[in-house]
Each structure stands twice: as structure tokens, then as C-alpha cells.
Amino acid sequence: MSQASGQVVGVNGNMVSVQMDGDVSLNEVGYILLDDPTTGESKRLKSEVIRIRGGRAELQVFEMTRGIGVNDKVEFSGQLLAVELGPGLLGRVYDGLQNPLPELAEQCGFFLDRGVYVNALNRAKKWEFTPKARVGDSVERADTLGTVPEGMFQHRIMVPFNLHRQYTVKSIAKSGEYTVDDEIAVLTDEDGTDISVTMRFEWPVKRAIDCYVERHRPIRPMMTKVRIIDTFFPVAFGGTYCIPGPFGAGKTVLQQITSRNADVDIVIIAACGERAGEVVETLREFPELLDPRTGRTLMERTVIICNTSSMPVAAREASVYTAVTIAEYYRQMGLNVLLLADSTSRWAQAMREMSGRLEEIPGEEAFPAYLESVIASFYERAGLVSLKDGGTGSVTIGGTVSPAGGNFEEPVTQATLKVVGAFHGLSRERSDARRYPAIDPLESWSKYPGSGDPGMVEYARDVLHHGNEVGQMMKVVGEEGTSLDDYIWYLKGEFTDSVYLQQNAFDPIDAAVGSERQEYCFGILFGLLTSKLNHGNKDEARNWFAQLRQRFLDLNGAQWRSDSFKRLESEIRDTIKEKRAGTEANAMDLVGKIRS
Amino acid sequence: MKKVYSKIESIAGNVITVTAEDVRYGHLAMVTSASGSSLAEVIRLAGDRVSLQVFAGGRGISTGDEVVFLGHAMRVSFTDNLLGRIFDGSGKPRDNGPRLEENLVEIGGPSVNPAMRIIPRNMIRTGIPMIDLFNSLVESQKLPIFSVSGEPYNELLARIAMQAEVDMIILGGMGLKYDDYLYFREVLEEGGAMSRTIFFVHTASDPVVECLLVPDLALAVAERFALKGRKVLVLLSDMTNFSDSMKEIAITMEQVPSNRGYPGDLYTQLAARYEKAVDFEGAGSITIVGVTTMPGDDVTHPVPDNTGYITEGQYYLRNGRIEPFGSLSRLKQLVNKDTREDHRSLMDGMITLYANYKESMEKKSMGFRMSEWDLKLLKYGELFERDMMDLSVNIPLEQALDRGWQILAECFDPAETGLRTELVNKFWPGGCTEPDEESA
Ligand SMILES: Nc1ncnc2c1ncn2[C@@H]1O[C@H](COP(=O)(O)OP(=O)(O)OP(=O)(O)O)[C@@H](O)[C@H]1O
Ligand SMILES: [Mg+2]
């Protein structure tokens, strides 16, 4: 592409119209040369072409547009909006356009001055390169040329994904230390042209990385260490899920604990149009927290893409793509990557703002008509794939949705529900009652298999449903109009809710429950649910459940397998035994099957 | 010599259009008409056609009036002389003091780099149990009071301002009733706080565009003081008026509305203001307590709804009390771990029981028999409302915690509270079934 130029002819919010001179492509990056003689300000403001019509390009500017004037010059870069890929992404904190925020702070201090851009990858840092390819090897895109250690991972240095032909390795660097700009290989294409390859390359964010052999159905459960999710609404490696909920219902807290505890190699956090303060918690705490699996800090397995609500809106739109592209890159190394996006509604709103400025015909609630397809193609970038070397890698995407008025019947929630594999809907009633995590056990669903015994889980789910029905009924007919049997089902449902579904995110032990402990405690619970209980009246039953609940909550707060855990467990088992009078009729078959 | 344009081509609502050259987006112009002069801001450029939003409104402007571009964006003077002063929404003095022209700074500046933020850590004590115990306010927090109109929200705001330990107070009034403006002034004067207060007040009768500028003026000044090391408390009342001004302007500009007439960027616009709340490492801080009145007592109305998604919680004011449901301080867990070991558990436990009380109330209202458990809850709810929720209660946090345990002990057996055994052992008031002496 030759580099075109142009001149500003109009400004409307963060959209600038440009009369262009030369060829320009859609999604190409341009820079507006702000040159304000009155303030002496002279800046290059990064922008993206979002429409071309009749010799004019419309650019969304990734910065505040104040001070831009008609006739200001514009330079087009000839490049699509892209991210830089290579070693050194892990542990970093970027804005939506992959500018490292701590480095920006070194240059500009407290504030994000516009028009200041910093390289995403450190140019000076040396990486310990070990070659894997040999001279004469025939290679293609994404084949491994060598590796460098990046934290706890062997980062694969691959043939850049934008080299689409067959190549022969003409030379490869010897083991040693290199920067991302040093040549590590020369590849010769079929026409005999030599191409110099370094450890970094660029990839356009809006194009999915597709250098895999095959995509597979996501079926292996990805443990989040949140009981209600892992047992009842599981997520799978390579799958997608969404967390819609009204404000304050606990979307962000749920994502924060998942980002700490999820059983994956790498976590990409896309803080998209939400509060800056929430990112800061992650940013300050992760370097101090150890990942029990590896003994390294959580920061070393995390990348934060942070375009919070007061940062420029256009960059917010780009940020989720930046995040997913980095996720796909690490998947290519055979790793399991989890992308957490909070909140996809802010991203959709950024699209809406731009669509409004372009005066496109609006759809429902003024969202653009293409909203659904854009959301679908974003979640489609998740997946479990097999790679050419026989390994597999996955990108799992979990997005929060912030529906207007907390009403799920709105365009973003509805479009998302059509494409995801699991739905963790948060309810206002549950969060008001401090029943955290406020995932609604009756409304939520997952299409992925869990790790527990499906029969047992189904049984517990039925108890929850039945208990809830009785509870609803009791609101109409009162406690006196409810049979003792039904009342006990109601108490069983409530009990399951308080000791198993609810989990205290701020308790050091209860916050993260591993699969072994989950299954063990679920087993105890299941024993109770399937037991026919011998209670004389409702008050007695209620008191008994209250006592038992107390012990179970104490158990949840006890160190796994500690003495106090064992003591509480046997107390619980004894209490149940005292009142147990056989197995509930509807559980006979199931219990028999499990015993055998 | 600045060029004078004297041919206004269109006037629609508060927006006028002129043909002019060398104009920059976001800059100001002075529009002079028979009824006086007003600032106006460039809000759109299309070739040489320039659209301006006139602060004093379009009414009374004629096509022959003069427009002079000033070559800069909206600015406000930043000096210590601001303290004790009162300004309107265009930055002009409302008191009889002099205009301030020194050290002008642009308003609506860039946002703080998230990497430079620190985790908030200081609790702001208010003496109100529903705040201190259940939803602690934290320095650098942004938190609105959600209220139905007619509730004493400005009184609550003034009380928080007077009791909070901060260096200075900036009040941003939007669509404020004149009486409320006078009320704030009186309270702050009587409390001896006027000399550390700055007012930017747009009253209900002032031009609508000026309403939009108030938060930016207040926050730009707050930011400068915070950078100089001051702990600033910014009060914004009422952000629903601010949003309604935005709606009015968007509609006259013929923008496609997203929800009940509000523009699609309502969230972004509100966030740009609230996100100014910050704690600068090594310098001062900005804490924002706002008011968002809820039209029709509806939290799902676009203004409270978008606000809730932006702010770090909200205090829900209803029937003269801060409601436990809906009220939330999202930063509370950053400070309530260091107060007293029972703080968190008591907070959660008492709210859960209060929720159960509400259910029992519902049953009662439907005429069902009250079980023994229901009766316990009814007693609990009554005590809770009287000793915790009533806004006249003014006690330090520690006292409120003790009172909480007393209430529990008066109503329940320990196991019924759902509180962990080790806390019960430590804090449960010994043999406490005798009636509470205050109620006698
Ligand atoms: N699992 C949990 N355990 C304990 N408290 C929780 C939990 N989840 C949420 N909370 C409480 O609820 C508050 C709000 O949660 P959170 O910030 O996650 O809400 P949100 O759904 O992300 O809201 P928004 O849409 O406005 O961002 C938290 O600050 C915390 O006090
Ligand atoms: Mg959130």
C-alpha cells in the first residue's frame, strides 16, 4: 500500500472527515496532525478509517478531538489497526491500542496526554533464544523457529502469521541473546526472495488468527473454583460464556476471582469501558499474589488491556480486539488462555456512538443493525484447536453484559445469549439478599459438561427447583398451608443455596474451592438431599437445618483436610445420621446406581 | 485583531451556525446580542460551517449578531482566591466578588492514567451507621445518593460534607432550587466551613447549557487542588438535571436517542465526570458524593441506571432513611477489613436477616400466621430500623457494631444468625435477653 495523505474537512465529536489524496483502505490507521497555533499544541492523533465515501474518509479518532481544525493535515499509515506480537506481552498493562500504561506514565505523569504512543514490546530487552528449525527446513506460517523462555512458559518464536507462502529456512540464529528487533532467521520463498524474520510481527486486530489444523468441540471443564459454576453451570476450555447482570450484582467480582483462580495458563483481562479503580486492584495485587500451581506471581501469567470508561471511546471499541488477538497468539503456543471482558456492553455502546455519528440507520435502542453479527464474530474467536505439532490450545471467552435497567430483554444480552455456551445470569434479588455469587440458579444454563456426576447434579438441581416452587407457593398459602414434606424440600433447597451455591469471595478459604474439595463437599450435601428426614414439625426442622447450616458454613471456612475440617465433617455426618430415616423415594435408583 | 463574524445562518435551540475560517473544534466564541453577550462552544465543523452551542441559550439571538472566536477552549481560573467564592455555570461570580482571570486552566482535561492510581485505603467516617457500618465511604470514591424527589437528599449531602474529614469542599449545583442553594450556603457558613468551600451553582432558572459545564468546572478545580495535596470532597447535586440538559440539547441537535430520549453516549458522558474521583499518590484526592434523583422512583430509569454502572455504589434514600437494599459501597471491603474483625461478618449477617424480616413482613401483610421465627424477625426488623437506619442516629462505627450485636442477642439464638462460631464466642453479649435500656 502506498501512503496516502489528506486534509480535515469536518469534525463531529470523535469523528473526523478527511478529504483524501491517494488510496486508503477500510480500518487503515491514519494520524491527524493537530497543529494549533493558538495553544502551540502540535500532536499526531491516531485514528482508524471507518468509512470511505465519495473521496472522503471518515476516521474515528482514538483521542480527544478538541483543537482539531479544518485543513489540518492527515497522514495515512498504509497499515491496518494491528497489535504487536512477540515475547514480552505477559505481565504488561496496556491501553486499548496496546500502549503500555506504566511507560506512558513515566513519560507523562498522572495524566494520559494525547498523541503519545509507546512501543508495545520492549526493544532493548534481550531474550534467550534457542533455535528449533534447521537450515533447509521447509516452513510455513506459525511453524516454530525457536523458543525463548518467558516467565514460566516456553514462548514459541513462530514464522509470522502474515507470511502466507511456503519458505525454506536459509539461516537461523544460534542460541544466544537477542532483542525483538534482531534478525533470528532468513526465510526464502518459492520465488527465491529472502525475508528477514525477527521475534516480533504485527497482526490486524479485527482478523482472527487461523493458523490451526482443526477446531474441536469444547468439552473439557475449565475449573473456576466457584462452586455454583463448576458444579451447576460449567465452562469448558475453548468455550464461551456470558455474565449479564444489573449494576452492583457482582459481575466484576466474579471475573476478578476467576482471573485469579481459573485453571488456565494465561489470563487476558480486557477492562473495557468500566471503572479504572477496578483495574487498579488487579494491577496492584497480582504482582504480590502467588499462583499455587506454579509458585510464580499471578502477574506473570496475566495481560491487562485497560480502556476504562473515561478513556477515549474509539479505543474502547478496539480494546476487545486487541485482547482477543493476544489470546489467540498464545493459544498458538499450545496454551490454554482465558479472556475476560468487562463489559461487552460498553464495547457495544462504543459502536453505537460511532454508528450515530455516521448517521447509520439505527436498530433497536439505537444500536447499529450489525450489532448481532459483530458480537457473534467476536465470541467465535474462542475455541479449542489442534495445532500442527499435535498439541492443542484454547481460547475461552467470558464476557460480562451490563443490560440497561438490568433487563435481559435488550439487544446486547439477547445477541450474546444466541452465541455463547453458558449463561451465568446475575439477579438483583440475590445480590440484594447478599447471596453471592448472585448467579440465578433457576435461570442460568450451560451447554458444557461438568466434572461432577451428572445424575447427582441433576438431582440437586431438581431439589433447588422444587424447593423454590414450594417457597413460591408458601408466599400464597402460607407456612400453615404447606405440608411438612414440602417444607423439608424447601429447607433442603435453601440449605443447598446457603452452603453450596453461595460462596464468600472475600474469605481466604471459601473464595477458591478446588475440584477435589468441591466434589467431596457436594457428596456430603448430596447425602443430605437424598436422605428422608425424620422431623416432627416445621419449627423443629427449621432449627435443625439452621444448626446444620452453621456447621457447614464453618466447614466451608476450614482449611481443606485440617483437623477442624475433619471434626466439623464428622459432626455434620452425625447430625444427618440422627435424623436420617432411609433414602428419599425419588433418589432410590440414583443412589443405588452410584453405590454399585 | 480578532475577526468579527456577523452573519448567523441558523439558530435552532441553543445551537447557532456561522460560516467562518480557522476555527478549531471545542474552542470558544463570544456571541454578542442586544440582550447581552454569552460564551459559545464549537460543537461541529463541516467545511467552513461552524456550529456553536450558546451558553446563555439561543433565545433572543438575531441573525445579525456578532460572533468572535476566542482561540481557546473553556477555562477556569485556579487560585486560592477561589475559596469562599460562588460562581455560576459559565464561571462568572454569583457573589459580588471580583472576576478571577489569573492562572486559567482548561476544563474537561484528559483522564488519569490507570497505572498511576492507587488502591483507596482511607475510610471517611460520617457517624451514620448505614454508611459507616454497612456501606463505608472511602476517600477517592464516587458515590451518588439515589433519591426520589422530595427526600432530604441535600440535607444528607450537607451533613456528610460537614462531618467528613476533608480539606475542602466544592459544591457543583445543577438545576438547584434557589432555596436549596441558600440552604447549602447557610449550613456551610454556620458550620464555619465556607472559607474552605467553593460553589459552582447553576440554578433551575439559569440557561440549560450552563448546567452542563458545572461538573467540569468543579472537577477541573478539584483536580488542581488535589494535585497540590488537598483532600477535596466534591458534591454534585443533581446529576439528573445534568443528564436532562444533555438530553434536551441532543434532541434539539436531532441525535438519534437510545433510551427514553437520552443520547447514546450518556454513559460515557457521566463516566467522564465521575471518573475524576482519584487518590493521587503523594498528593491529594477527590471524593465525589452526588445526588441522582430518580424520576418516578424508578432505578431502571436511564439516569440512575447508567450512574449505577459507573459509580462505586450508591446510597438509596427512601422515606428519610438509607435503605439497606440497593445501597452499596463497592469500596467498603478495602477499608472494613481493618476496622474490627467482626465488621464484615456482622454487616453481611445483619443484612441477610433484614432481608428475611422483609419476607416475613410480606407474609404478614398477606394475613398469614406468623411462626415463631417470623415473630423473631419482626422484632429484629423493628430494632434494626430504629437503631441503625434512622438518620438521626449519629454514633461512631465501633458503637454501631456493639449495638448490632445487642440487637441480634435481643432477638435470636446465635445459631440463627448464620454468623461464624468464633465471632459469636467473642462478641455475643453475655446472657443478653433483658430489654434494651434506650427503649424504656
Ligand atoms: N462474590 C461476592 N462476595 C461478596 N461480595 C460480593 C460478591 N460479588 C459482589 N459483591 C459485592 O457487590 C459489589 C458489587 O460487585 P461488582 O462490582 O462485581 O458488581 P458489577 O456487577 O460488576 O456492577 P457494575 O455493572 O456496576 O460494574 C462488590 O463491591 C461487593 O461488595
Ligand atoms: Mg463491574
Side-chain angles (χ1 to χ4, degrees):
Chain A
M1 283 189 268
S2 69
Q3 269 135 274
S5 60
Q7 268 190 332
V8 172
V9 293
V11 187
N12 176 14
N14 64 344
M15 190 183 81
V16 169
S17 307
V18 175
Q19 187 70 45
M20 42 192 207
D21 183 11
D23 290 329
V24 170
S25 53
L26 198 62
N27 300 117
E28 180 171 341
V29 170
Y31 290 90
I32 294 171
L33 308 185
L34 169 77
D35 199 0
D36 185 342
T38 51
T39 56
E41 194 181 8
S42 173
K43 292 261 160 83
R44 283 162 56 84
L45 305 181
K46 194 169 181 175
S47 324
E48 179 189 10
V49 177
I50 52 168
R51 184 165 73 189
I52 302 168
R53 201 157 67 175
R56 280 195 182 179
E58 248 101 38
L59 277 65
Q60 62 171 341
V61 187
F62 296 121
E63 307 276 7
M64 209 162 39
T65 48
R66 183 191 286 167
I68 296 179
V70 169
N71 294 337
D72 280 355
K73 295 270 175 298
V74 178
E75 284 172 11
F76 291 94
S77 66
Q79 306 288 324
L80 301 186
L81 186 65
V83 290
E84 213 169 73
L85 300 173
L89 294 166
L90 295 180
R92 305 291 296 279
V93 184
Y94 293 114
D95 73 4
L97 302 174
Q98 216 194 2
N99 289 294
L101 288 170
E103 284 78 353
L104 282 182
E106 274 168 29
Q107 280 193 31
C108 310
F110 281 122
F111 297 96
L112 289 168
D113 289 344
R114 57 181 172 168
V116 182
Y117 308 110
V118 177
N119 288 328
L121 294 175
N122 187 325
R123 296 294 191 266
K125 187 174 162 79
K126 297 223 168 187
W127 297 91
E128 185 66 50
F129 177 77
T130 309
K132 285 274 163 2
R134 276 185 229 147
V135 172
D137 281 359
S138 169
V139 293
E140 59 181 10
R141 62 202 287 252
D143 282 351
T144 304
L145 296 171
T147 61
V148 300
E150 181 182 14
M152 62 201 107
F153 303 104
Q154 282 300 318
H155 187 117
R156 292 185 194 166
I157 305 301
M158 296 172 274
V159 176
F161 306 160
N162 46 19
L163 298 182
H164 286 272
R165 305 176 69 179
Q166 286 291 328
Y167 306 89
T168 313
V169 178
K170 184 177 178 189
S171 70
I172 180 114
K174 285 202 274 298
S175 290
E177 299 211 314
Y178 301 91
T179 69
V180 291
D181 276 340
D182 291 335
E183 179 178 276
I184 52 110
V186 175
L187 308 179
T188 310
D189 72 12
E190 292 138 331
D191 302 336
T193 313
D194 286 347
I195 297 155
S196 164
V197 171
T198 65
M199 291 199 266
R200 74 175 171 90
F201 62 94
E202 294 198 344
W203 182 263
V205 292
K206 290 186 182 163
R207 192 173 296 162
I209 294 175
D210 54 356
C211 316
Y212 48 78
V213 179
E214 209 184 341
R215 272 182 73 155
H216 301 276
R217 221 154 61 80
I219 44 169
R220 193 157 69 87
M222 182 196 90
M223 298 302 285
T224 61
K225 303 205 173 81
V226 177
R227 285 186 292 255
I228 182 171
I229 297 180
D230 295 339
T231 305
F232 291 94
F233 310 109
V235 179
F237 286 104
T240 54
Y241 68 105
C242 69
I243 310 174
F247 63 77
K251 300 180 288 298
T252 304
V253 170
L254 199 53
Q255 283 211 335
Q256 280 172 342
I257 52 179
T258 310
S259 69
R260 287 173 188 216
N261 304 324
D263 183 20
V264 293
D265 298 311
I266 288 174
V267 177
I268 317 275
I269 297 173
C272 171
E274 293 283 303
R275 304 167 187 86
E278 293 168 345
V279 188
V280 178
E281 284 177 39
T282 308
L283 213 122
R284 302 280 168 194
E285 284 169 3
F286 272 30
E288 321 268 297
L289 293 173
L290 291 187
D291 179 356
R293 299 182 318 151
T294 60
R296 306 256 197 160
T297 73
L298 282 177
M299 203 62 200
E300 287 178 62
R301 68 157 201 181
T302 309
V303 184
I304 300 176
I305 310 294
C306 159
N307 214 96
T308 54
S309 58
S310 62
M311 289 162 75
V313 159
R316 187 200 293 169
E317 196 257 339
S319 66
V320 298
Y321 294 107
T322 301
V324 74
T325 309
I326 294 174
E328 289 170 334
Y329 176 62
Y330 280 99
R331 173 173 71 184
Q332 231 30 69
M333 298 174 206
L335 299 172
N336 292 315
V337 189
L338 172 63
L339 164 62
L340 296 169
D342 186 15
S343 154
T344 60
S345 293
R346 306 303 162 216
W347 162 58
Q349 287 178 344
M351 281 191 274
R352 173 167 74 185
E353 283 183 35
M354 202 35 72
S355 166
R357 297 229 166 76
L358 288 170
E359 296 177 355
E360 292 171 338
I361 296 169
E364 219 183 318
E365 291 184 21
F367 283 106
Y370 44 81
L371 178 75
E372 261 190 30
S373 62
V374 174
I375 288 179
S377 48
F378 169 66
Y379 280 103
E380 269 302 301
R381 291 178 74 166
L384 171 68
V385 301
S386 48
L387 304 168
K388 236 177 100 188
D389 69 353
T392 59
S394 68
V395 170
T396 309
I397 301 183
T400 67
V401 187
S402 318
N407 177 3
F408 294 172
E409 301 299 318
E410 57 88 48
V412 183
T413 315
Q414 289 303 314
T416 307
L417 284 179
K418 278 190 191 165
V419 294
V420 293
F423 160 56
H424 301 157
L426 305 189
S427 93
R428 170 62 77 219
E429 290 86 72
R430 287 184 70 82
S431 70
D432 273 351
R434 306 290 199 268
R435 294 178 174 219
Y436 295 121
I439 297 174
D440 189 327
L442 306 174
E443 297 287 318
S444 302
W445 47 258
S446 166
K447 295 178 186 163
Y448 303 119
S451 59
D453 179 290
M456 289 164 74
V457 172
E458 216 34 59
Y459 187 84
R461 205 193 299 270
D462 287 345
V463 174
L464 286 169
H465 274 275
H466 187 46
N468 176 64
E469 271 162 27
V470 175
Q472 294 302 322
M473 201 53 144
M474 243 169 12
K475 286 196 181 134
V476 185
V477 300
E479 218 174 277
E480 59 267 46
T482 308
S483 71
L484 179 60
D485 247 15
D486 270 351
Y487 191 71
I488 288 177
W489 283 118
Y490 164 75
L491 290 174
K492 281 179 173 176
E494 283 293 295
F495 184 82
T496 307
D497 191 345
S498 28
V499 307
Y500 201 81
L501 302 188
Q502 293 173 44
Q503 196 173 339
N504 187 344
F506 302 113
D507 181 281
I509 305 242
D510 203 28
V513 184
S515 57
E516 203 187 346
R517 179 171 179 159
Q518 270 190 35
E519 277 175 40
Y520 193 80
C521 290
F522 186 70
I524 304 176
L525 174 69
F526 182 74
L528 169 72
L529 297 183
T530 51
S531 293
K532 208 184 203 29
L533 299 170
N534 180 12
H535 285 294
N537 61 52
K538 290 175 198 155
D539 278 341
E540 186 210 312
R542 200 190 48 247
N543 287 332
W544 184 82
F545 269 98
Q547 301 276 354
L548 192 65
R549 183 186 64 175
Q550 183 78 1
R551 297 237 168 77
F552 217 113
L553 290 177
D554 289 343
L555 182 83
N556 283 344
Q559 194 80 43
W560 175 224
R561 295 199 163 131
S562 63
D563 287 344
S564 67
F565 185 94
K566 287 182 190 139
R567 179 176 51 76
L568 287 158
E569 183 195 341
S570 68
E571 277 176 35
I572 290 168
R573 291 196 190 274
D574 289 347
T575 313
I576 298 175
K577 219 178 281 163
E578 276 165 29
K579 286 288 165 193
R580 188 179 149 93
T583 303
E584 289 279 8
N586 61 7
M588 290 293 193
D589 289 354
L590 183 59
V591 172
K593 221 187 299 163
I594 290 162
R595 290 233 174 86
S596 66
Chain B
M1 184 53 213
K2 286 196 171 121
K3 201 163 165 196
V4 179
Y5 294 90
S6 59
K7 192 166 177 307
I8 296 175
E9 285 157 22
S10 76
I11 305 169
N14 305 309
V15 178
I16 62 170
T17 309
V18 294
T19 300
E21 273 165 13
D22 283 340
V23 175
R24 294 189 170 271
Y25 186 75
H27 280 190
L28 292 182
M30 185 62 80
V31 182
T32 308
S33 65
S35 51
S37 55
S38 165
L39 290 172
E41 189 186 20
V42 177
I43 55 165
R44 190 165 190 165
L45 294 173
D48 55 4
R49 283 170 61 84
V50 180
S51 303
L52 294 137
Q53 183 156 282
V54 184
F55 293 176
R59 198 165 297 158
I61 292 187
S62 103
T63 51
D65 288 346
E66 291 185 349
V67 180
V68 178
F69 289 91
L70 305 180
H72 61 76
M74 181 71 184
R75 299 186 296 195
V76 62
S77 160
F78 162 67
T79 72
D80 276 339
N81 297 337
L82 288 169
L83 291 163
R85 295 291 310 274
I86 303 176
F87 303 90
D88 71 8
S90 66
K92 281 194 297 234
R94 262 206 124 86
D95 48 17
N96 295 321
R99 276 191 90 98
L100 296 178
E101 303 284 358
E102 324 104 86
N103 196 22
L104 293 166
V105 296
E106 272 196 13
I107 68 167
S111 68
V112 170
N113 186 332
M116 291 299 279
R117 286 176 181 261
I118 51 177
I119 298 183
R121 54 205 160 177
N122 303 320
M123 179 168 158
I124 297 184
R125 287 170 175 255
T126 64
I128 301 171
M130 291 316 287
I131 296 182
D132 295 355
L133 201 168
F134 294 98
N135 283 300
S136 320
L137 179 65
V138 181
E139 186 178 345
S140 86
Q141 189 161 19
K142 42 187 178 285
L143 204 138
I145 297 165
F146 280 4
S147 168
V148 188
S149 49
E151 292 285 336
Y153 50 84
N154 282 332
E155 283 82 347
L156 178 58
L157 207 57
R159 179 165 163 209
I160 293 172
M162 292 309 304
Q163 290 192 209
E165 285 169 0
V166 292
D167 298 330
M168 53 182 291
I169 300 161
I170 300 183
L171 174 78
M174 289 146 285
L176 210 57
K177 279 194 247 104
Y178 210 85
D179 294 353
D180 287 342
Y181 154 55
L182 294 177
Y183 168 79
F184 273 114
R185 221 177 63 186
E186 243 170 66
V187 173
L188 289 161
E189 267 165 8
E190 276 166 20
M194 204 55 197
S195 61
R196 54 186 181 97
T197 302
I198 307 168
F199 279 67
F200 290 94
V201 173
H202 165 271
T203 67
S205 57
D206 295 338
V208 70
V209 182
E210 290 185 9
C211 182
L212 287 185
L213 296 168
V214 166
D216 288 339
L217 288 168
L219 291 163
V221 169
E223 199 163 80
R224 295 290 162 152
F225 277 108
L227 286 169
K228 295 233 161 202
R230 310 279 182 94
K231 277 190 196 184
V232 188
L233 175 65
V234 177
L235 309 175
L236 298 174
S237 175
D238 161 355
M239 288 298 276
T240 304
N241 291 335
F242 169 80
S243 310
D244 285 344
S245 304
M246 213 149 61
K247 169 166 99 174
E248 192 179 321
I249 288 161
I251 287 174
T252 42
M253 299 270 300
E254 294 175 5
Q255 281 180 24
V256 182
S258 67
N259 211 331
R260 294 201 232 177
Y262 290 90
D265 65 352
L266 179 64
Y267 174 85
T268 305
Q269 294 293 347
L270 289 171
R273 275 76 190 188
Y274 282 116
E275 282 280 313
K276 290 277 178 198
V278 66
D279 194 345
F280 290 116
E281 176 103 75
S285 66
I286 302 177
T287 307
I288 302 179
V289 181
V291 168
T292 300
T293 49
M294 297 182 294
D297 193 12
D298 176 11
V299 234
T300 69
H301 179 278
V303 179
D305 187 49
N306 278 283
T307 305
Y309 278 118
I310 292 163
T311 52
E312 289 155 336
Q314 62 280 329
Y315 296 137
Y316 211 116
L317 188 66
R318 165 168 297 153
N319 301 326
R321 300 190 297 220
I322 298 177
E323 277 284 325
F325 304 123
S327 294
L328 171 71
S329 160
R330 292 162 191 253
L331 301 189
K332 61 177 181 239
Q333 59 263 24
L334 300 175
V335 294
N336 63 15
K337 61 179 188 295
D338 307 318
T339 47
R340 217 168 82 175
E341 60 180 309
D342 57 331
H343 187 163
R344 281 186 180 178
S345 303
L346 193 65
M347 164 185 92
D348 287 334
M350 291 191 81
I351 295 293
T352 308
L353 287 166
Y354 189 71
N356 294 340
Y357 153 75
K358 285 280 182 183
E359 275 175 25
S360 296
M361 278 298 278
E362 207 174 300
K363 277 200 260 174
K364 190 177 169 200
S365 70
M366 294 183 66
F368 294 132
R369 188 177 60 87
M370 293 282 91
S371 67
E372 197 190 321
W373 174 239
D374 289 319
L375 293 173
K376 286 183 173 185
L377 287 169
L378 291 182
K379 176 172 177 201
Y380 169 76
E382 196 182 310
L383 290 180
F384 186 82
E385 288 180 357
R386 190 194 66 195
D387 292 357
M388 294 285 170
M389 286 172 65
D390 198 302
L391 273 185
S392 66
V393 180
N394 190 355
I395 48 175
L397 170 71
E398 289 70 19
Q399 231 170 298
L401 288 170
D402 292 343
R403 186 70 201 113
W405 284 106
Q406 278 166 23
I407 294 175
L408 291 179
E410 276 170 48
C411 306
F412 305 111
D413 294 333
E416 290 170 329
T417 61
L419 289 161
R420 287 232 180 107
T421 312
E422 53 248 48
L423 287 177
V424 170
N425 288 345
K426 183 153 179 196
F427 290 100
W428 197 262
C432 191
T433 35
E434 72 247 70
D436 155 37
E437 61 271 20
E438 285 162 58
S439 66

